[in-house]
Amino acid sequence: MSELKIVVTGASGRMGRTLIREIAQGNGMTLCGALEIEGHPNLGLDSGTLAGMQPNGIKLTADPLPLLAHAQAVVDFTTPMVSTMLADLAAQARIVHVIGATGFDAKAEARVQAAARHAVIVKSGNMSLGVNLLAALVERAARSLSDYDIEVLEMHHRNKVDAPSGTALLLGNAAAKWRGIALEKNWVKSRDGHTGARKDGDIGFATLRGGSVVGEHSVIFAGTSERITLSHSAEDRSIFAHGALTAARWGHGKKPGLYSMTDVLGL
């Protein structure tokens, strides 16, 4: 079987460099392109060197068209603005698009869904196997503990730009699903001052930022006289890269559509 040809976006960022290393060390895949935004100071540099390896001959470019024309998958941990543009291009090229970016608004979500009519798009707030297993456990707990209060606590590094995190929202949606409620109508993203008593059905979020924390998430089910906490700690970004590349391999050859990591992992 030939190796899957993959383009990495945001190639000089932390996740981009991690992906490049994972591709080099993995089997059945090869790096065929490295993208960065127009004007980035690392454009033209060797992506292998930037990733802390030997030069690989793949230089960073801001032009996605020639890269996607020869690729079979693009892996994307950038921003909603970049992701939606790439989704359009992936649909034109009929290739797999793995989206690990978070913070999409309704308009961006609709644009990704439209692109998925022609491309295999795997989109998730978190690409980790462990986190997606946690989400499945949260669903089951929410169904079984129907009268317990639910709070989601998350912490990330000081440079993370969106809050709550995509993973926190993934977990909140998992809880809301089995309660038969819409998360956006029942979430409480902040509490300050005299807030009054907690409302039945609320799903609360608490956000912490600091240091170099890769990612920590806990879902607390608080009942009368007891609490159950389900949690996950990410210790290295390689778990997200591994999951994203697993998704790219899984998506190759699938019918166009918008998929999640639960589809990839069969959860």
Side-chain angles (χ1 to χ4, degrees):
M1 181 182 294
S2 60
E3 293 187 329
L4 186 69
K5 298 176 182 178
I6 300 174
V7 171
V8 170
T9 66
S12 64
R14 285 172 296 190
M15 273 306 306
R17 285 176 280 146
T18 301
L19 282 162
I20 291 168
R21 290 193 295 270
E22 286 288 312
I23 292 170
Q25 295 164 9
N27 296 316
M29 52 189 170
T30 186
L31 182 70
C32 72
L35 281 169
E36 262 300 351
I37 60 172
E38 191 71 52
H40 197 283
N42 288 337
L43 289 176
L45 298 182
D46 185 274
S47 61
T49 302
L50 285 171
M53 308 183 302
Q54 292 296 316
N56 59 17
I58 305 293
K59 295 184 178 181
L60 271 64
T61 176
D63 185 2
L65 291 178
L67 300 185
L68 299 186
H70 297 93
Q72 294 165 307
V74 54
V75 181
D76 163 27
F77 284 83
T78 55
T79 65
M81 182 178 69
V82 174
S83 295
T84 51
M85 179 270 292
L86 287 172
D88 293 340
L89 295 178
Q92 294 173 26
R94 302 296 198 270
I95 64 174
V96 180
H97 183 194
V98 178
I99 302 177
T102 59
F104 289 76
D105 60 20
K107 184 176 180 180
E109 292 282 6
R111 190 168 162 188
V112 170
Q113 290 176 4
R117 292 199 292 265
H118 304 288
V120 174
I121 298 180
V122 182
K123 181 175 178 294
S124 178
N126 193 297
M127 292 289 170
S128 158
L129 170 61
V131 163
N132 284 278
L133 176 59
L134 174 62
L137 294 172
V138 168
E139 287 184 9
R140 182 164 184 175
R143 178 171 48 179
S144 300
L145 306 172
S146 59
D147 60 342
Y148 282 49
D149 297 327
I150 301 174
E151 296 285 313
V152 182
L153 172 66
E154 57 107 339
M155 183 170 185
H156 283 85
H157 54 87
R158 68 194 312 272
N159 293 316
K160 187 167 179 60
V161 297
D162 59 318
S165 70
T167 304
L169 296 175
L170 173 74
L171 297 172
N173 271 305
K177 175 182 177 181
W178 287 104
R179 291 278 170 97
I181 60 176
L183 178 63
E184 62 272 17
K185 293 183 179 179
N186 292 272
W187 61 27
V188 178
K189 292 185 176 180
S190 64
R191 295 185 178 100
D192 183 47
H194 188 74
T195 61
R198 191 184 200 280
K199 296 178 181 178
D200 291 341
D202 281 353
I203 296 178
F205 290 85
T207 299
L208 306 178
R209 293 287 180 266
S212 58
V213 177
V214 175
E216 295 183 358
H217 297 85
S218 296
V219 182
I220 302 167
F221 292 84
T224 303
S225 303
E226 67 176 356
R227 290 191 310 276
I228 298 170
T229 301
L230 302 174
S231 63
H232 176 271
S233 294
E235 299 176 354
D236 192 281
R237 283 182 177 80
S238 62
I239 64 171
F240 310 126
H242 176 74
L245 295 173
T246 298
R249 289 192 295 265
W250 176 88
H252 183 54
K254 292 287 189 299
K255 293 181 179 179
L258 181 58
Y259 301 94
S260 69
M261 284 301 287
T262 56
D263 297 309
V264 175
L265 301 171
L267 293 174

